[in-house]
């Protein structure tokens, strides 16, 4: 888990405990929603209204650890060159929407990637740019 961007030893343990053996969730999207990393929806009558990230729902410690790690990655991305496809996506997103939104998006992507890694029992392989 520590190979993921923004995941340290504490965050890796929290992810491992929270995901368990991945039988509780159908997919990574469901896991991210359960941990409070997706916006709240208030949709009715065909009109979609997307709210903010809820501070009450989900695992607060895990969400906080993921957010802090992701914010560190977004901050460091400004000072160095991009190395992978995820870095390009993250840099474009932070320019378009801001650092904090990009950090939440990275935290969401991190938990979904961690779910897939644990479910399929594989290591993380970032898509590096060709030199």
């Amino acid at each position: 888990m520590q190979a993921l961007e923004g995941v340290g030893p504490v965050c890796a343990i929290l992810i491992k405990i929270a995901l368990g053996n991945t039988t509780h969730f159908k997919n990574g999207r469901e896991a991210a929603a359960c941990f409070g990393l997706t916006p709240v929806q208030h949709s009715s009558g065909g009109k979609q209204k997307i709210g903010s990230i809820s501070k009450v729902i989900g695992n607060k410690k895990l969400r906080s650890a993921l957010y802090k790690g992701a914010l560190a990655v977004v901050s460091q991305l400004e000072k160095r060159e991009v190395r992978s496809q995820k870095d390009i996506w993250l840099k474009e997103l932070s320019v378009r929407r801001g650092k904090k939104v990009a950090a939440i998006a990275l935290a969401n992507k991190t938990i979904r990637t961690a779910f897939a890694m644990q479910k399929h029992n594989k290591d993380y392989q970032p898509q590096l740019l060709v030199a």
Side-chain angles (χ1 to χ4, degrees):
M1 296 288 173
Q2 290 186 30
L4 291 166
E5 293 90 354
V7 176
V10 173
C11 193
I13 291 171
L14 288 173
I15 290 172
K16 188 80 167 166
I17 290 169
L19 288 176
N21 59 0
T22 67
T23 57
H24 302 296
F25 307 108
K26 230 177 5 181
N27 52 31
R29 184 184 314 161
E30 196 174 283
C34 181
F35 300 138
L37 291 168
T38 55
V40 178
Q41 283 191 1
H42 301 289
S43 303
S44 175
K47 292 184 180 180
Q48 293 184 353
K49 296 179 184 176
I50 304 291
S52 61
I53 302 290
S54 175
K55 295 177 184 166
V56 180
I57 300 170
N59 189 335
K60 291 180 185 179
K61 287 186 179 183
L62 175 61
R63 184 175 56 236
S64 176
L66 283 168
Y67 174 71
K68 287 176 185 175
L71 197 57
V73 170
V74 171
S75 297
Q76 288 298 315
L77 195 59
E78 296 176 345
K79 299 174 186 172
R80 65 173 176 84
E81 292 183 22
V82 294
R83 299 179 209 158
S84 66
Q85 294 286 27
K86 194 183 277 188
D87 287 350
I88 293 172
W89 167 76
L90 195 58
K91 198 165 199 172
E92 290 173 354
L93 183 64
S94 66
V95 167
R96 195 171 60 240
R97 296 294 310 264
K99 283 184 186 180
K100 292 183 178 182
V101 172
I104 288 292
L106 180 61
N108 187 344
K109 188 175 275 242
T110 300
I111 202 71
R112 291 171 78 162
T113 306
F115 176 84
M117 286 171 48
Q118 198 161 349
K119 183 168 183 139
H120 301 296
N121 200 15
K122 292 188 178 182
D123 292 334
Y124 178 63
Q125 300 293 327
Q127 294 179 346
L128 299 175
L129 295 175
V130 179

